[in-house]
């Protein structure tokens, strides 16, 4: 077939790449001598490279990656776009301490699609990758490596050595990140990336913080905050909200002994027994009712408990409220205020007495935050570990706002200190069990149960958080909420509900932001303070710090600057020292727009012209993360949003709806999927799913199979069909040259339709991408692909094969070329690999200097749509045709009639004359697709009858005993009533409203008694098809089946249309009664030849010397036919040969064998020079071309 050897590797052709075509498989057997390949004649150089029948999309993607590297495609595209308007995009920084997962791939794909499209729309799009280098993920790795368990270990090891250990592993997976990101087709700059640990990045963070400091937005406070004992640091409120888990915690009731009366107690409930040693008060609701009760069991002690929770208490301890208790009195909570009680534990009595607080500590206080939804309506107060506890205890003077008077027996690792001697060194959550045992032993534990509830966990370590009072640095948010909300209102989000509901609601309740972390590897907070915190200096640049340090500073991590002091202005003898904390890493990522540009120290004009960014994208979890911090900081610094447009994606889950887990291995590896199906399949699968609308995606491998089978393969096959038919056209007619003007001049309605659809698609893609609606864009593209492959190509196969003449074939091929070329440009952002593969071949036809002729499809601009090409009327006409074809196919399936069996006729009923006119214009396609000989039309609907069919399954429960009456009412409905029901979608029968889902309409034809006539209808149209059997129609069916087998064999032999071969068919007798195949081959020869666009020769005419390329036996309707493909060779006129040899069969055999030694070009050349001279038996035979032999049976004029 192809000149030269076969192989599977790419061949480089002028910077392009070509898939190799394998040689045809040899076939041995009884059909005759076997030839490995036919010898082609001198065909002109084809415009397009031939492509394989069955592509390997992953292998083609690897070739594309190599090609992109070769031409430095991404950086070259950025270089080409310089000078265009900038399109500013911010890429949120991931940690490089782990490998990318589907969430990263999804967000990266969304970013890549938008940025590629922006480039193709004429923007200059800088795409810099970023790395989040600081924070807990890095420290956790080092802690595990060095077996560090707390702050003391770090200080002992040395912060300098600890931080350098962190620095050394920060980019441990960068190489793998680059490989995976490249494999999934994302174009982003890794070489000019930004890192949050770089001096330039950290310096800009300092500048941002000082801007806030100068505006009075920074303060220090003692607050009860969510605290990670695993990380030894507080978390911000939005970090806390990110990771709630359902857990089972202790649920206990404890009795506190009142001092005012012997054997009297007040009951309190808690789920945190570990906080009880720190109890300083009990709180009741001033307006709630409380009961004073006396037990009728045990030691007859008295209890005080909330009235609304008394029954729950009784059910918990298995007591009867009436039988086991006497009610002494009911009182309001306010009357209990001031009651003194004995502390459960003795650990802090001496401290309280020494501080003179005994008159306030261990008393009952009141506050309205107490609820009757759980517990006993009595809440124990441990101000060091509860936000409300802290507030209430401050209000009643139990502690002071600066923390004085507080008891805080838990260290930074969450372990009890020596203050609580009995539980010293135990982690608070582990101590719960021991504390309960102690209380039970002392008779203070009334009830010991469990409570299942949602509880916050550390989003980094997955460990339960505790609430702990600590001093921390805060950014004011609450008093600036209105500004932040106003700036949020200026942004555009997809989907909008995330902005308008989830994010807006979060902003409305936003709290001041704790930005300090008691960690080591991070950007140090640039505050130098006096011991009493009354004098504070904020540093905003390296140069400013160098003035105080008296030395050059090249790194501002803790171990390089913590030794620097600043002289006090209040007391020259004293110095200010830097605070111990570093920044929350969210503050770093929220500063990314400025820090990545080293603003304002560099790139000042460039940044200010491009701020806010045009676009950002991340997952739904970032509404309380990066999206939030970006908005807060940009509002505080510039009073602007940080971005204009945002796409928020949902979460990618495992197929069972659970979170993807490396431990459980409940999801397929991304690289395995790319290597099996291709990265394009993963990209399109995700972009065409609910996940780009902030909804979850249950990732299923079957989804990739569906994309490959229903989108990529039909698309590729349409492209391959185009290449094959252009090659045939060029072999038969001449060079193919694209001519878009032919589409406008065409009178073919499907050319007009698909061109209108293309330009409608171009407009749609431009509009929808401007609105950042990827989910509609991908849907629109795949819909057009379906119209292209299952519509236009299917409708016009014969035209492109030349059955209507070369000129019409060229028009159809030019139309298909424009469709394929423009589609590659439009789909390039979504499927960058397959579009590149197809484009590289299609571009071969474009002349030099053509605006769409580039080295890469990703350098080609998205075309403008042509308003004149838009034609809604033609599009509606084709949609009507498609609906009729679908109806006809459904009816054939119902009648169990082979879709390839020709039918005698079909009648289309529709009262709309424009509808009928549209279908008449497209009648040839209707006949071809439905395989009917004749199409008739009627606007007369009087013979059509309607009947209502009830859905008894849906109506059973609804109608009950009225079912029979409703059925009779439905059967008696008039035609007008049924039409009204069809129009409105509902009707009332016997008092019941019946919907369209509960009753359907059947259409039939009145007085139709022909059993071969069958109707089908939709609400607009009715078809009547004639299924009458006719012998001539059956022969056409058999002829089509034979033609299909021939084409199948040619395809298996990897033949091209112009290959010099001959095809033979012969019926093999198998004893079937009434055989029809032989008669069909004879009677329908001309029809079969037309279908094949070449002669199909009677297999009985083969002369035995032909070289067989491939042969196969097929069974068609119970009869066997052998199809043989031979390499073209000499075909002899047996009558003339007999005369020449005087009837000597041996001489005739020698002559035929001698001719078989020539390949076709040699035999052709020899034929032009004169007769062949063959010597045998002492005689020389002069064998003359066209008298004794021809070049194949097609030239044999002596054949009928």
């Amino acid at each position: 077939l192809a000149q030269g050897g076969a192989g599977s590797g790419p061949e480089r052709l002028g910077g392009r790449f070509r898939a190799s075509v394998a040689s045809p498989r040899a076939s041995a057997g009884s059909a005759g001598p076997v030839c490995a390949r036919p010898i082609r004649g001198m065909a002109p150089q084809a415009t397009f490279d031939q492509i394989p029948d069955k592509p390997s999309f992953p292998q083609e993607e690897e070739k594309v990656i190599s090609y992109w590297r070769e031409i430095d495609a991404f950086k070259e595209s950025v270089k080409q776009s310089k000078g265009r308007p900038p399109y500013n995009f911010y890429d949120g920084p991931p940690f490089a301490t782990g490998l990318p997962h589907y969430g990263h791939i999804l967000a990266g794909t969304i970013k890549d699609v938008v940025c590629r499209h922006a480039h193709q729309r004429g923007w200059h799009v800088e795409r810099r990758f970023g790395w989040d280098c600081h924070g807990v993920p890095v420290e956790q790795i080092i802690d595990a490596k060095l077996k560090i368990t707390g702050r003391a270990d770090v200080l002992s090891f040395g912060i300098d050595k600890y931080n350098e250990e962190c620095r050394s592993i920060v980019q441990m997976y960068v190489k793998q990140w680059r490989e995976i990101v490249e494999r999934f087709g994302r174009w982003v700059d890794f070489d000019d990336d930004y890192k949050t640990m770089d001096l330039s990045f950290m310096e800009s963070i300092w500048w941002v913080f000082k801007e806030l400091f100068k505006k009075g937005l920074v303060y220090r406070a003692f607050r009860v905050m969510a605290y990670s004992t695993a990380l030894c640091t507080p978390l911000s409120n939005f970090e806390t909200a990110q990771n709630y888990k359902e857990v089972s915690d202790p649920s206990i009731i404890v009795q506190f002994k009142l001092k005012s009366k012997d054997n009297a107690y007040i009951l309190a409930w808690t789920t945190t027994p570990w906080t009880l040693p720190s109890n300083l008060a009990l709180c009741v609701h001033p307006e709630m009712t409380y009961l004073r009760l006396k037990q009728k069991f045990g030691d007859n002690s008295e209890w005080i408990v909330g009235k609304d929770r008394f029954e729950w208490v009784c059910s918990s301890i298995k007591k009867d409220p009436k039988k086991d208790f006497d009610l002494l009195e009911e009182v309001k909570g306010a009357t209990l205020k001031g009651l003194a009680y004995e502390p459960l534990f003795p650990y802090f009595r001496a401290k309280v007495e020494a501080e003179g607080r005994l008159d306030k500590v261990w008393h009952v206080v009141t506050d309205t935050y107490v609820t009757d939804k759980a517990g006993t309506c009595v809440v124990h107060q441990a101000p060091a570990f509860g936000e409300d506890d802290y507030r209430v205890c401050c209000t009643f003077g139990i502690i002071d706002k600066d923390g004085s008077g507080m008891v805080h027996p838990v260290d930074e690792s969450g372990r009890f200190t020596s203050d609580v001697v009995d539980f010293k060194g135990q982690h608070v959550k582990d101590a719960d069990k021991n504390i309960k045992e102690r209380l039970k032993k002392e008779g203070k534990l009334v009830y010991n149960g469990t409570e299942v509830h949602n509880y916050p966990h550390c989003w980094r370590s997955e460990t339960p958080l505790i609430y702990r009072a600590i001093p921390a640095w805060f950014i004011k948010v609450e008093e600036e909420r209105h500004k932040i909300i106003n700036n949020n209102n200026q942004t555009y989000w997809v989907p909008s509900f995330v902005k308008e509901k989830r994010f807006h609601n979060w902003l409305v309740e936003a709290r001041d932001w704790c930005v300090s972390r008691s960690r080591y590897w991070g950007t140090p907070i640039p505050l130098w303070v006096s011991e009493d915190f009354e004098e504070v200096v904020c540093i905003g640049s390296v140069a400013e710090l160098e003035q105080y340090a008296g030395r050059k500073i090249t790194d501002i991590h803790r171990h390089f600057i913590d030794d620097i002091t600043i002289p006090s202005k209040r007391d020259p003898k004293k110095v200010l020292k830097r605070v111990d904390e570093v920044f929350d890493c969210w503050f770093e990522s929220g500063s990314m727009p400025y820090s990545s540009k080293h603003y304002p120290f560099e790139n000042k004009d460039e940044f200010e012209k491009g701020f806010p960014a045009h676009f950002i994208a991340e997952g739904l979890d970032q509404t309380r993360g990066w999206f939030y911090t970006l908005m807060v900081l940009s509002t505080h610094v510039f009073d602007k949003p940080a971005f204009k447009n945002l796409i928020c994606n949902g979460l990618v889950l495992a197929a069972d709806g659970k979170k993807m887990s490396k431990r459980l291995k409940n999801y397929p590896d991304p690289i395995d999927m790319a290597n099996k199906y291709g990265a394009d399949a993963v990209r399109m699968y995700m972009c065409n799913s609910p996940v780009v609308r902030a909804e979850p995606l249950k990732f299923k491998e079957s989804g990739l199979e569906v994309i490959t089978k229903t989108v990529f393969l039909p698309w590729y096959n349409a492209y391959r069909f185009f290449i094959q038919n252009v090659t045939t056209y060029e072999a038969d007619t001449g060079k193919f040259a694209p001519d878009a003007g032919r589409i406008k001049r065409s009178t073919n309605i499907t050319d007009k339709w698909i061109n209108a659809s293309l330009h409608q698609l171009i407009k749609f893609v431009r509009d929808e991408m401007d609105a950042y609606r990827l989910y509609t864009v991908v849907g629109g593209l795949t819909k057009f692909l379906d119209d292209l492959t299952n519509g236009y190509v299917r409708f016009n196969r014969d035209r492109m094969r030349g059955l209507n003449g070369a000129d019409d074939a060229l028009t159809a091929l030019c139309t298909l070329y424009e469709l394929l070329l423009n589609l590659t440009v439009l789909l390039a952002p979504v499927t960058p690999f397959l579009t590149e593969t197809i484009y590289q071949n299609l571009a071969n036809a474009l002349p030099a200097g053509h605006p769409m002729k580039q080295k890469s499809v990703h350098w080609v601009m998205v075309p403008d749509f042509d308003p004149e090409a838009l034609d809604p009327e033609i599009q509606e006409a084709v949609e009507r045709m498609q609906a009729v074809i679908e109806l006809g196919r459904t009816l054939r399936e119902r009648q169990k009639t082979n879709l390839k069996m020709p039918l005698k006729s079909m009648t289309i009923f529709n009262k709309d004359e424009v509808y009928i006119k549209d279908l008449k214009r497209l009648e040839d396609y209707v006949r071809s697709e439905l395989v009917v000989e004749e199409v008739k039309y009627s606007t007369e609907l009087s013979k059509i009858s309607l009947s209502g069919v009830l859905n008894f399954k849906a109506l059973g429960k609804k109608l009950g005993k009225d079912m029979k009456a409703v059925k009779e009412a439905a059967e008696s409905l008039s035609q007008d009533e049924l039409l009204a029901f069809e129009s409105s979608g509902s009707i009332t029968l016997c008092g019941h409203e019946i919907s369209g889902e509960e009753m359907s309409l059947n259409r039939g034809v009145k007085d139709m008694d022909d059993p071969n006539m069958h109707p089908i209808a939709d609400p607009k149209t009715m078809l009547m098809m004639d299924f009458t059997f006719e012998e001539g129609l059956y022969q056409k069916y058999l002829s089509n089946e034979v033609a299909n087998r021939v084409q199948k064999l040619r395809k298996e032999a990897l033949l091209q249309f112009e290959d010099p071969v001959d095809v033979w068919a012969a019926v093999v007798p198998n004893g079937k009664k009434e055989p029809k195949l032989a008669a069909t081959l004879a009677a329908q020869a001309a029809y079969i030849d037309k279908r094949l666009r070449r002669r199909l020769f009677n297999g009985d005419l083969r002369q035995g010397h032909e070289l067989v390329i491939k042969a196969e036996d097929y069974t068609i309707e119970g009869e066997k036919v052998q199809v043989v493909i031979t390499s073209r060779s000499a075909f002899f006129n047996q009558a003339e040969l007999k005369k020449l040899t005087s009837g000597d069969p041996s001489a005739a055999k020698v002559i035929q064998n001698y001719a078989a030694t020539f390949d076709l070009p040699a035999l052709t050349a020899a034929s032009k020079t004169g007769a062949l001279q063959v010597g045998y038996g002492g005689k020389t035979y002069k064998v003359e071309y066209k008298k004794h032999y021809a070049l194949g049976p097609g030239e044999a004029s002596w054949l009928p």
Side-chain angles (χ1 to χ4, degrees), residues 93 104 307 324 360 396 600 775 925 996 1129 1138 1156:
H104 294 117
K307 179 179 180 180
D324 294 323
K360 295 180 179 178
F396 284 88
Y775 52 92
Y925 297 105
S1129 60
K1138 186 175 182 180

Side-chain angles (χ1 to χ4, degrees), residues 759-824:
H759 286 274
Q760 182 64 49
L761 177 68
I762 294 171
K763 181 179 185 299
F764 174 80
V765 169
R766 293 172 73 99
D767 291 346
E768 292 302 289
M769 284 302 295
D770 286 346
Y772 295 90
R773 289 189 286 263
L774 267 62
Y775 52 92
T776 61
V777 169
V778 177
L781 288 164
T782 53
K783 168 64 169 62
F784 181 81
L785 265 173
D786 185 63
D787 284 343
L788 172 67
T789 57
N790 293 321
Y792 184 76
V793 171
R794 184 182 177 92
F795 297 155
N796 292 281
R797 287 171 299 189
D798 290 344
R799 286 179 68 209
M800 290 182 227
R801 288 169 175 161
L803 265 62
N804 295 349
D807 189 68
D808 194 40
L810 181 58
T811 298
L813 290 170
C814 284
T815 302
L816 184 53
Y817 179 83
E818 289 297 317
L819 300 175
L820 291 171
L821 181 64
N822 283 282
L823 194 57
T824 61

Side-chain angles (χ1 to χ4, degrees), residues 699-726:
F699 191 96
K700 298 178 181 178
E701 185 175 344
S702 59
L704 303 181
E705 294 177 359
V706 170
I707 289 291
T708 302
K709 290 179 181 178
T710 64
V711 180
F712 290 170
L713 284 174
W715 178 13
Y716 180 86
N717 288 334
Y719 158 60
R720 183 171 60 83
F721 179 80
F722 168 77
I723 298 298
Q724 289 174 336
N725 283 282
V726 168

Side-chain angles (χ1 to χ4, degrees), residues 336-626:
L336 301 175
K337 178 181 174 181
L339 279 178
Y341 63 90
E342 295 288 345
L344 289 179
F345 297 94
Y347 307 125
F348 300 105
R349 184 182 295 275
K351 171 181 165 58
V352 171
E353 290 177 349
E355 293 179 355
R357 296 176 184 266
L358 202 54
D359 60 331
K360 295 180 179 178
V361 176
W362 299 312
H363 285 72
V364 175
V365 295
T366 59
D367 193 90
T368 56
Y369 92 91
V370 177
T371 177
D372 60 2
K373 303 301 181 186
T376 63
C377 300
V378 180
V379 182
H380 108 83
Q381 306 292 289
F385 306 111
E387 188 173 5
D388 284 315
D389 307 36
Y390 180 85
R391 174 182 57 80
V392 170
C393 287
C394 284
T395 300
F396 284 88
I398 296 168
I399 62 171
D400 298 332
K401 289 187 176 181
D402 64 0
S404 300
M406 189 180 298
V407 296
H408 201 310
V410 177
D411 67 15
E412 69 273 5
S413 298
R415 300 179 184 278
F416 278 116
T417 66
S418 58
D419 290 331
V420 181
V421 63
D422 299 303
F423 309 109
K424 177 186 175 183
Q426 295 182 25
H427 189 277
V428 293
K429 299 298 279 187
D430 297 332
D432 278 344
K433 180 180 178 182
N434 297 329
I435 290 172
K436 289 189 294 181
E437 288 179 356
R438 168 78 171 266
L439 293 171
K440 182 178 181 181
K441 184 177 180 181
E442 295 178 353
K444 298 172 182 176
L445 184 63
V446 175
Y447 168 68
N448 182 18
T450 57
E451 172 90 357
V452 176
H453 62 159
N454 286 319
Y455 191 81
H457 284 62
C458 176
W459 68 292
R460 292 295 191 191
S461 65
E462 297 294 335
T463 55
L465 300 176
I466 66 171
Y467 285 85
R468 187 169 184 257
I470 55 172
W473 294 93
F474 291 83
I475 300 296
K476 292 181 181 178
V477 173
E478 294 167 28
E479 65 183 47
E480 300 290 313
R481 283 177 187 156
H482 63 289
K483 290 183 181 179
I484 299 171
I485 291 171
N486 179 60
N487 285 328
N488 181 49
N489 290 337
Q490 298 174 39
T491 62
Y492 173 80
W493 293 45
V494 174
S496 59
F497 74 82
V498 180
K499 167 193 168 181
E500 295 163 359
K501 294 182 180 178
R502 186 184 180 106
F503 194 60
H504 175 79
N505 293 343
W506 177 254
L507 295 181
V508 168
E509 300 295 329
R511 307 282 296 277
D512 288 354
W513 176 12
C514 174
V515 296
S516 58
R517 297 291 181 268
S518 301
R519 303 301 302 175
Y520 318 98
W521 177 241
T523 301
I525 292 181
L527 293 175
W528 273 255
V529 300
S530 58
E531 290 183 2
D532 59 4
F533 288 89
E534 291 300 317
E535 188 176 359
V536 181
V537 173
C538 183
I539 301 297
S541 69
V542 172
E544 187 179 352
L545 185 59
E546 287 177 339
Q547 292 176 3
Y548 293 109
R551 65 175 189 255
K552 184 71 175 174
I553 295 175
T554 58
D555 195 318
I556 55 175
H557 284 96
R558 285 191 58 171
H559 54 297
F560 289 96
I561 66 168
D562 277 0
D563 65 312
I564 298 172
T565 60
I566 295 176
S568 170
K569 292 182 179 179
R570 291 193 308 168
D571 185 348
K573 295 180 181 180
K574 294 185 177 181
V575 294
L576 310 183
K577 295 182 180 180
R578 198 191 69 80
V579 298
D580 188 61
E581 296 93 341
V582 298
F583 277 112
D584 169 14
C585 63
W586 288 109
F587 191 91
E588 296 185 350
S589 58
S591 301
M592 169 265 160
Y594 332 105
S595 300
S596 61
K597 292 284 189 181
H598 196 206
Y599 179 85
F601 307 102
E602 295 180 77
N603 308 304
K604 191 171 187 298
D605 291 341
E606 177 188 344
F607 169 79
E608 291 176 357
K609 288 178 182 177
F611 185 80
H614 289 85
F615 166 67
I616 66 170
E618 292 295 343
L620 189 62
D621 54 330
Q622 296 301 325
T623 52
R624 295 176 180 179
W626 192 49

Side-chain angles (χ1 to χ4, degrees), residues 674-712:
N675 292 338
K676 185 174 181 180
Y677 300 99
D680 278 343
V682 178
R683 289 170 64 110
M684 178 168 277
Y685 173 57
M686 293 193 296
C687 286
N688 199 33
S689 76
V691 80
V692 292
R693 300 194 301 268
E695 298 174 22
L697 166 65
K698 296 178 182 178
F699 191 96
K700 298 178 181 178
E701 185 175 344
S702 59
L704 303 181
E705 294 177 359
V706 170
I707 289 291
T708 302
K709 290 179 181 178
T710 64
V711 180
F712 290 170

